[in-house]
Amino acid sequence: MPKKFRVFATCDIGDAIDLLRQRGYEVEIYPKPEAPPKSLIVEKVKSGIDGLITTLRDSIDAEVFEAGKEKLRVVAQIAVGFDNISRADANRYKIPFTNTAEVLTEATAEFAFFMMGALARKLWTAEHLTRDNKWSYWHPYLPFLGDEVTGKTIAIIGTGRIGLAMIKKCAGFDMNILCYDPAYQNHDYVKAIQENMDLRHVRGISKTKNWIKYVGVDEALSQADFVSVHVPLIREGESAAPTYHLFNERTLRRMKPTAFLVNTSRGPVVEEAALAKALREKWIAGAALDVYEKEPLSADSPLRDPAIEDRCRLYPHFASAGRITRLSSDPEKGMAGRTVQGLIDVLEGNYGGDVTKMPYVVNKEVGSL
Ligand code: GLV
């Protein structure tokens, strides 16, 4: 039985916590669904916990790391993103933090695909029509039609794990695929998808001969019927290819007036005021968003304008919210399981205590500081 470690979790992560308790850990869970006050996190860290479980809404910065400088050994984040954790401060205090990459890849891509379908085929408007008892006849094109996804061209902006998973799903719908990524290109994957498309055509599974290729951003935006965003949030000065407000008045105007935008990446990648204008003035046909510049979406957001509600779908940062993806205790399947395993790896010194070898540690550079 390992030494008894103390852990504070800022949110309940379900049964996976039992894995820690079975190992003799003392775990306290913040009981409310909303974020705990920062002062409480600082107080708990100061009280001498060994591990802190956090999520996207908790600001983990120098104040928290300073409070934990005597004892805190790991921050385990239940999310793939870690915009809320200051990597520089974690490194300054030599504290590794973990995330839950990979286990939410398919769920997020699947949700992006469903958002795209819901938007293009007008599922929300169609259900309202039925529920509001306004469906009075079957007619070839009244009161409205939707747009098919099958056979269309999609631009995948960002070809990391989730972008590649989205590509796989789009290929299954006989879509043509334009890929754009300023930082990371996976030509082997794209080649394999093309081979797959060719085989489907040759064997009569797809009537059309579909294609996939990397292109520049202008070509991707101007040629696509759908644009799906899968880039990390990179602010000005953080890298040569920032993604902050990548979608702004200029880039939205590049899209076709019949095109749809889907964002499951990070809210600030899309300038919301510009998007609302683009939807009002019909520069593009519609947008579906799961992430926002500020979350939760404010009551006075221009995206809530009733004038655009038929073409603007809004979801509550929900893409990874599948039961297994969020809560499975198996670190190969669930974010909760991966969070707990990341914490155990650090506290129990797995991998010979070498954080550079621990798969879920993000800031591996702490190992050589
Ligand atoms: C969700 O957006 C996550 O980062 O896990």
Side-chain angles (χ1 to χ4, degrees):
M1 185 67 67
K3 157 178 175 309
K4 194 167 165 195
F5 294 111
R6 279 183 58 216
V7 171
F8 178 68
T10 66
C11 55
D12 188 6
I13 65 167
D15 294 346
I17 282 291
D18 294 342
L19 300 179
L20 295 178
R21 293 198 168 125
Q22 282 155 15
R23 299 169 87 84
Y25 287 41
E26 190 183 304
V27 185
E28 186 187 351
I29 301 169
Y30 184 67
K32 298 191 190 158
E34 63 270 16
K38 175 87 172 290
S39 56
L40 182 72
I41 299 179
V42 169
E43 182 193 309
K44 294 292 172 193
V45 171
K46 233 185 215 152
S47 78
I49 56 169
D50 304 278
L52 176 65
I53 294 177
T54 58
T55 193
L56 293 165
R57 62 200 190 175
D58 309 314
S59 164
I60 307 300
D61 55 13
E63 191 187 355
V64 175
F65 291 118
E66 172 66 24
K69 69 180 175 198
E70 305 298 339
K71 199 80 196 300
L72 185 68
R73 287 185 46 214
V74 60
V75 174
Q77 165 101 337
I78 181 160
V80 59
F82 45 86
D83 309 305
N84 58 310
I85 300 178
S86 163
R87 187 171 189 147
D89 290 327
N91 288 351
R92 206 145 54 81
Y93 286 88
K94 299 194 178 37
I95 295 183
F97 66 92
T98 64
N99 74 345
T100 63
E102 283 158 15
V103 284
L104 45 70
T105 299
E106 296 298 333
T108 304
E110 168 182 290
F111 197 75
F113 195 91
F114 295 157
M115 284 167 66
M116 174 167 78
L119 174 66
R121 297 298 297 267
K122 298 196 185 327
L123 297 194
W124 190 83
T125 322
E127 182 165 351
H128 272 278
L129 182 83
T130 315
R131 287 187 179 279
D132 299 347
N133 233 357
K134 293 191 178 136
W135 172 34
S136 40
Y137 42 77
W138 191 99
H139 184 279
Y141 61 84
L142 292 175
F144 51 77
L145 295 176
D147 289 294
E148 302 82 351
V149 166
T150 303
K152 297 284 176 59
T153 297
I154 185 165
I156 303 289
I157 308 298
T159 56
R161 291 187 200 94
I162 299 173
L164 296 182
M166 181 69 170
I167 286 173
K168 187 171 57 169
K169 296 180 195 321
C170 293
F173 276 72
D174 297 337
M175 298 185 86
N176 295 312
I177 304 172
L178 297 160
C179 307
Y180 168 71
D181 194 314
Y184 169 79
Q185 279 116 36
N186 192 329
H187 291 280
D188 284 348
Y189 190 94
V190 162
K191 186 162 168 275
I193 292 284
Q194 183 64 64
E195 286 164 9
N196 202 275
M197 287 169 160
D198 293 346
L199 182 66
R200 282 164 60 98
H201 181 58
V202 169
R203 301 290 291 269
I205 296 168
S206 303
K207 279 204 218 110
T208 49
K209 191 165 163 40
N210 296 108
W211 48 261
I212 177 168
K213 59 183 175 181
Y214 272 103
V215 292
V217 67
D218 275 352
E219 185 173 346
L221 297 183
S222 62
Q223 303 298 310
D225 302 306
F226 296 92
V227 174
S228 189
V229 190
H230 302 282
V231 289
L233 173 61
I234 303 173
R235 296 185 189 271
E236 285 296 331
E238 286 177 1
S239 121
T243 59
Y244 177 79
H245 284 185
L246 181 64
F247 286 84
N248 51 40
E249 286 208 13
R250 189 185 64 78
T251 47
L252 287 165
R253 279 189 190 276
R254 286 260 185 283
M255 290 172 59
K256 297 201 269 193
T258 49
F260 297 93
L261 177 70
V262 176
N263 187 16
T264 49
S265 66
R266 282 294 177 258
V269 172
V270 175
E271 189 181 350
E272 285 169 10
L275 176 62
K277 185 169 175 197
L279 292 170
R280 265 193 325 269
E281 299 183 5
K282 302 197 175 168
W283 311 345
I284 66 172
L289 305 178
D290 189 44
V291 286
Y292 305 92
E293 294 203 64
K294 189 165 174 313
E295 295 181 8
L297 185 64
S298 65
D300 61 353
S301 164
L303 296 169
R304 294 185 190 269
D305 182 352
I308 56 172
E309 80 177 10
D310 62 330
R311 50 197 180 274
C312 184
R313 300 279 56 80
L314 305 172
Y315 301 101
H317 203 143
F318 201 58
S320 65
R323 256 181 251 285
I324 294 172
T325 300
R326 283 280 173 88
L327 292 187
S328 171
S329 301
D330 179 346
E332 292 304 314
K333 295 197 179 129
M335 296 164 70
R338 194 158 273 216
T339 303
V340 161
Q341 190 59 49
L343 187 107
I344 291 173
D345 284 348
V346 177
L347 292 185
E348 298 186 21
N350 291 344
Y351 301 90
D354 182 351
V355 295
T356 66
K357 299 208 172 90
M358 294 180 193
Y360 313 141
V361 168
V362 175
N363 56 337
K364 293 194 167 52
E365 63 276 14
V366 281
S368 50
L369 290 173

